[in-house]
Amino acid sequence: MEYRDNARIDHSRVRYGGGSGGGGRRRGGLAIGGGAGGIVLLLLAVFLGPSLGIDPMALLGGTDYEPEPQVVQQKSGCVTGADVAENRDCRWDAYYVALDDYWSSVVDGYESPEMEIFSGQVSTACGMGATEMGPFYCPGDKTIYVDSTFLGQLLDQLGAKGGDAAELYVVGHEWGHHISNLTGDMERARSRNDGSGPTSGQVRLELQADCYAGVFFDNTVRDPESPIEKVTADDLKRIADAASAVGDDHIQKQQGGRVVPESWTHGSSAMRQYWVDKGFSSGDPRSCDTLNTDELGG
């Protein structure tokens, strides 16, 4: 993936330096799209919880949570896409600007999310976030939370090739949850109250976020002002690889157990790849209506 050297990235809303936070008062909103990997209890709760008797709500902080203030700062020195080569942290600002610029142009009533790069623990409106959760979106404070170091380790442990394209896919997926939140699809998916499984509202919501990530990639490379100048064929493979790696069936196999579709909360590898490709091929957010289709790709 190549960055556009002259693209401005100094208007991003990425916050750095948060984390290792304490407690807070509960306010509301379950974290969405938490990370995957066969190494932590929280992963088991998010992906396999229903079959293991683990309550993800409890581990993610439950509801009615108001976070305590944290020390965060804007990153200085990230001005254009060229700065990514000198300071790798600037890639987060490039990701933010590319995603924000696209979605602000197509969503009525758009609100920019916040994005926080943290380490250790972080207080959110959805409860206490932790490194081991991987990236997640909290609808309660409309913020995407990412532990940058752990994200790379997570993709590696899941067998994905990694790289900036895979990383941007993950961030684009979490941004997709923000779009679903703004459009009301998140609430509609939850109102189905149909638990887990391949056709559940929760899986449909995750697949929609994958589709939105694909839509973004198609459109950002067409934008002459986007910080993302080029996505190569290898990048596309990395994106598809990352989508496959976070499929519920892949994760269950890595756990050494059997595949249990009834417990799925994110969809199979095939389903996730299908919707990323559908979004990328169409370039149209309207193609991502996963809530009202019987064809989920798997």
Side-chain angles (χ1 to χ4, degrees):
M1 192 171 77
E2 297 179 10
Y3 297 91
R4 182 170 278 108
D5 286 350
N6 63 351
R8 302 288 299 197
I9 61 173
D10 53 347
H11 56 288
S12 83
R13 297 173 65 174
V14 179
R15 304 193 302 261
Y16 295 80
S20 300
R25 295 190 302 276
R26 292 182 177 178
R27 190 177 66 192
L30 176 66
I32 300 294
I39 56 175
V40 292
L41 177 62
L42 185 65
L43 173 147
L44 295 173
V46 172
F47 288 94
L48 309 179
S51 63
L52 298 178
I54 300 173
D55 179 11
M57 288 288 287
L59 294 179
L60 289 172
T63 58
D64 300 327
Y65 188 92
E66 184 173 351
E68 291 183 349
Q70 298 179 86
V71 178
V72 295
Q73 60 183 356
Q74 301 297 128
K75 194 73 172 182
S76 61
C78 299
V79 179
T80 69
D83 292 324
V84 177
E86 299 297 324
N87 180 358
R88 287 287 294 155
D89 282 347
C90 291
R91 73 191 188 279
W92 301 107
D93 297 86
Y95 297 166
Y96 185 100
V97 170
L99 282 155
D100 196 53
D101 284 356
Y102 169 67
W103 286 112
S104 64
S105 71
V106 296
V107 176
D108 291 337
Y110 179 78
E111 298 176 47
S112 297
E114 301 292 328
M115 182 171 167
E116 184 165 329
I117 310 301
F118 75 97
S119 178
Q121 292 184 322
V122 61
S123 295
T124 82
C126 298
M128 185 64 71
T131 288
E132 295 83 0
M133 289 173 63
F136 63 94
Y137 171 71
C138 174
D141 54 24
K142 295 184 174 68
T143 300
I144 295 164
Y145 293 92
V146 181
D147 185 307
S148 59
T149 301
F150 186 74
L151 175 55
Q153 296 172 348
L154 186 63
L155 289 171
D156 182 64
Q157 288 185 320
L158 287 171
K161 293 180 180 178
D164 287 11
E167 200 172 64
L168 180 52
Y169 153 70
V170 173
V171 176
H173 172 94
E174 300 307 332
W175 208 288
H177 284 312
H178 178 63
I179 302 304
S180 299
N181 188 25
L182 295 180
T183 63
D185 276 346
M186 181 175 290
E187 182 59 32
R188 283 187 281 273
R190 288 177 171 176
S191 68
R192 294 167 63 103
N193 196 29
D194 54 1
S196 59
T199 63
S200 65
Q202 178 60 31
V203 166
R204 291 172 184 273
L205 194 63
E206 296 296 332
L207 298 179
Q208 184 173 73
D210 282 333
C211 185
Y212 283 154
V215 167
F216 157 74
F217 271 103
D218 176 66
N219 284 276
T220 196
V221 295
R222 302 176 188 272
D223 180 0
E225 297 183 0
S226 171
I228 311 303
E229 183 170 24
K230 184 178 181 181
V231 177
T232 67
D234 182 65
D235 291 328
L236 295 178
K237 290 179 182 178
R238 290 174 182 270
I239 294 166
D241 191 45
S244 176
V246 291
D248 283 322
D249 56 339
H250 178 75
I251 293 166
Q252 289 177 334
K253 289 175 183 177
Q254 281 208 332
Q255 291 294 320
R258 64 189 181 92
V259 174
V260 185
E262 294 78 12
S263 71
W264 290 357
T265 58
H266 285 61
S268 69
S269 294
M271 295 165 75
R272 303 198 68 170
Q273 286 180 316
Y274 173 87
W275 284 98
V276 172
D277 180 68
K278 187 176 180 68
F280 186 83
S281 298
S282 70
D284 185 352
R286 292 173 297 182
S287 71
C288 301
D289 186 11
T290 57
L291 272 63
N292 296 297
T293 180
D294 294 327
E295 179 50 63
L296 291 175

